[in-house]
Amino acid sequence: MLLFSATLPLTDVWVRWLTPTIGIAQIIVIRSMVMMVTMGALSWVNRESLWPTQHWALHGIRNITFVLAVFLWFFILDYAPLSDLYAIGFTSPIFASIGSVFALNERLSFRKCIGLLGGIIGTLFVIQPGFDTINPYLILAVLCSVLWAIAMLATKKLASSESPTQLATSIFVSFIPVTLVPSITQWVMPSGVQWLLLISLSMTTLISHFLLAWSYQRAPLTYLAPVEFSTVIFSFLFGWVFFNEPILWATGIGSLLIGASALYTMLEG
């Protein structure tokens, strides 16, 4: 889960570099096609089924919420610092942890509650500078969090019967019919550097997805959710390194709280 937390904001770095010249729909459709070719090759080598054969309704819910969340996320990516977006985005593990108690019959222990509470407080520290003037795009980030939480719950439920390859195929195939037409109408031929970024985006996204599915198969969601808060730390680090976004004292304190909360939860026996 920690590796997933590092790769997820890295994909947003590639997208930020691409969106000034290439439309979101085109980025998504190229990414999906590259990943489908890669997964097809992996499926052939491993002799495993590429396409899921059951739980179609749950796959549908997961795919719809995931596609909507990604579209919204890519849309708002250029309008707020990465650290602020991920701080708000990581209300989704909170929604998912609470939802898992009802949807997945998982136990929300006292230690996990403390870990989640620490993550919430740390997240509030991170986004504190944005409270003076509310950025309307951050409201859309909250909606992304809700959609992502629903997708997380569906993924956790499907992970017991579907392979990571099947879970990835179900998701990324669903992007193609939604993005193909708008991408064709606004198509821009990528340069050599842009193709390199698009392939890097595709591979990083695929690795991130497999890491998430692998984690969900091996640990309860309420255990994983606080660890996922560490993505906020990676997001402000990448924002500072790649986009010269300032690291503020509140971000530092919030990140320490998030990391301490994740560690406290992981120490549960």
Side-chain angles (χ1 to χ4, degrees):
M1 180 56 76
L2 192 61
L3 289 174
F4 163 77
S5 299
T7 56
L8 186 62
L10 187 58
T11 62
D12 291 332
V13 173
W14 310 144
V15 172
R16 269 197 174 183
W17 282 344
L18 287 164
T19 49
T21 53
I22 299 179
I24 293 173
Q26 183 178 344
I27 292 172
I28 292 176
V29 77
I30 292 176
R31 185 192 70 165
S32 299
M33 288 181 174
V34 171
M35 287 190 292
M36 286 307 304
V37 171
T38 304
M39 286 189 295
L42 290 174
S43 175
W44 182 79
V45 170
N46 296 328
R47 298 293 191 271
E48 65 175 329
S49 174
L50 186 64
W51 190 252
T53 58
Q54 55 184 338
H55 307 302
W56 294 109
L58 193 56
H59 275 289
I61 293 171
R62 175 174 176 262
N63 293 352
I64 290 171
T65 54
F66 196 90
V67 168
L68 288 174
V70 169
F71 261 100
L72 281 174
W73 187 262
F74 281 5
F75 174 71
I76 64 178
L77 200 55
D78 289 330
Y79 298 100
L82 283 179
S83 57
D84 282 10
L85 287 175
Y86 272 94
I88 292 179
F90 270 85
T91 55
S92 61
I94 300 168
F95 297 141
S97 290
I98 295 172
S100 68
V101 176
F102 304 98
L104 304 177
N105 296 317
E106 292 187 359
R107 187 175 66 90
L108 194 61
S109 67
F110 175 76
R111 181 181 285 267
K112 291 169 184 173
C113 288
I114 294 298
L116 287 172
L117 180 61
I120 294 170
I121 295 172
T123 299
L124 290 176
F125 265 100
V126 173
I127 66 175
Q128 181 180 349
F131 285 154
D132 294 335
T133 56
I134 297 297
N135 185 339
Y137 292 102
L138 297 183
I139 299 174
L140 291 178
V142 176
L143 178 57
C144 285
S145 298
V146 175
L147 292 169
W148 178 250
I150 296 172
M152 287 170 66
L153 291 170
T155 300
K156 178 61 178 176
K157 203 168 183 66
L158 288 166
S160 60
S161 59
E162 310 278 21
S163 70
T165 300
Q166 291 173 323
L167 290 172
T169 302
S170 174
I171 279 288
F172 297 122
V173 163
S174 64
F175 279 104
I176 296 175
V178 178
T179 57
L180 188 57
V181 173
S183 68
I184 291 175
T185 59
Q186 300 178 348
W187 188 269
V188 175
M189 183 55 64
S191 65
V193 173
Q194 288 171 330
W195 274 117
L196 182 61
L197 287 173
L198 286 164
I199 293 172
S200 298
L201 169 64
S202 304
M203 294 300 99
T204 307
T205 302
L206 192 58
I207 291 169
S208 177
H209 183 89
F210 272 97
L211 287 170
L212 183 64
W214 186 87
S215 300
Y216 281 177
Q217 287 179 328
R218 287 160 176 79
L221 192 60
T222 49
Y223 177 85
L224 296 173
V227 182
E228 202 171 350
F229 278 119
S230 62
T231 303
V232 178
I233 301 173
F234 290 107
S235 69
F236 81 71
L237 179 62
F238 292 158
W240 174 63
V241 171
F242 295 111
F243 304 108
N244 200 30
E245 294 176 356
I247 300 178
L248 304 175
W249 66 269
T251 303
I253 293 176
S255 299
L256 289 174
L257 282 171
I258 292 167
S261 301
L263 179 62
Y264 179 73
T265 304
M266 290 174 67
L267 291 176
E268 183 173 47

